Amino acid sequence: KQEVTQIPAALSVPEGENLVLNCSFTDSAIYNLQWFRQDPGKGLTSLLLIQSSQREQTSGRLNASLDKSSGRSTLYIAASQPGDSATYLCAVKSSNDYKLSFGAGTTVTVRA
Amino acid sequence: EAGVVQSPRYKIIEKKQPVAFWCNPISGHNTLYWYLQNLGQGPELLIRYENEEAVDDSQLPKDRFSAERLKGVDSTLKIQPAELGDSAVYLCASSSGASTGELFFGEGSRLTVL
């Protein structure tokens, strides 16, 4: 069974600092990995999708890397802003059964 | 383009009462998912549909939960009877394909069982 871990569970940084969010998974047989953002009381918003054949994806201030062999992904958010405060979840899709396994998320607070 | 639409956003019921949630996926998305999310945790899959076929319902508590996706478009998730432990957010998501497709989520339906 795929296990997805996100450490730390919570993170607080001053505005302008770069954010580094980690995601690790136990089974490297994956189709893709997706990063989501969730605001309180809201659904999940897709940020980046990395296919298993890719090493990284970029969108604006966001960059996500994938090292499938070591079971790790990192989400980088450059020059953080208070509006980046949210919970960030990673999800890994198994190539065996298409199941999407989520981490519990990292809750980020960016202080003005 | 409209995203995934869910209703109701909030529902408060007494235990043992029935409740139903509705989801309309993004147009053209054949794959539809229902997830359950408890506070402070990641979503957990309840059921996945490919068109109108439930291809993965292994995590659905079938004694009280049921789902349908008639005509392969919108879907309904029902709980009868509801228990206190069912209080959670029920999320619907859709994608263009089960394998490599990106998932898009609705706003969720928050259920409180008293």
Side-chain angles (χ1 to χ4, degrees):
Chain A
K1 179 185 174 184
Q2 180 77 272
E3 300 287 342
V4 182
T5 303
Q6 292 186 249
I7 295 173
L11 186 61
S12 179
V13 299
E15 183 177 3
E17 191 166 301
N18 296 330
L19 284 164
V20 180
L21 307 179
N22 298 304
C23 172
S24 62
F25 49 94
T26 54
D27 187 348
S28 61
I30 66 170
Y31 260 125
N32 58 43
L33 183 146
Q34 197 167 351
W35 281 95
F36 295 90
R37 168 186 173 137
Q38 187 172 33
D39 293 290
K42 300 287 188 180
L44 281 69
T45 300
S46 179
L47 296 175
L48 290 167
L49 173 71
I50 311 176
Q51 303 295 349
S52 61
S53 59
Q54 297 176 316
R55 297 283 295 186
E56 67 177 347
Q57 277 285 355
T58 298
S59 176
R61 295 185 294 112
L62 275 61
N63 174 276
S65 66
L66 174 64
D67 184 341
K68 197 172 66 169
S69 60
S70 67
R72 293 181 182 178
S73 177
T74 303
L75 178 66
Y76 300 89
I77 303 177
S80 62
Q81 305 167 359
D84 294 328
S85 297
T87 297
Y88 293 83
L89 298 100
C90 71
V92 177
K93 182 173 284 187
S94 168
S95 57
N96 297 321
D97 55 14
Y98 304 144
K99 282 189 186 296
L100 194 66
S101 300
F102 281 84
T106 295
T107 299
V108 172
T109 301
V110 180
R111 309 186 302 272
Chain B
E1 180 181 323
V4 177
V5 179
Q6 290 188 247
S7 68
R9 285 293 321 277
Y10 305 94
K11 190 73 175 180
I12 300 174
I13 61 173
E14 299 281 337
K15 63 180 181 181
K16 300 185 181 179
Q17 293 299 306
V19 63
F21 305 112
W22 175 82
C23 172
N24 186 253
I26 291 173
S27 177
H29 280 192
N30 298 325
T31 308
L32 184 146
Y33 311 77
W34 282 103
Y35 283 89
L36 177 153
Q37 186 177 27
N38 289 303
L39 190 65
Q41 299 181 21
E44 299 173 9
L45 181 69
L46 290 171
I47 190 167
R48 173 169 66 93
Y49 282 94
E50 293 295 335
N51 298 302
E52 57 275 353
E53 182 182 0
V55 296
D56 185 355
D57 63 356
S58 57
Q59 302 292 79
L60 190 72
K62 298 182 184 61
D63 56 337
R64 297 183 302 105
F65 286 64
S66 64
E68 60 182 11
R69 191 185 184 196
L70 301 176
K71 301 180 181 179
V73 181
D74 55 355
S75 175
T76 302
L77 177 70
K78 298 178 182 178
I79 307 174
Q80 182 171 7
E83 297 179 351
L84 294 176
D86 296 332
S87 295
V89 177
Y90 293 84
L91 294 164
C92 179
S94 70
S95 71
S96 58
S99 58
T100 58
E102 184 175 3
L103 260 73
F104 295 90
F105 281 81
E107 292 286 335
S109 295
R110 180 176 296 277
L111 174 65
T112 301
V113 182
L114 303 175

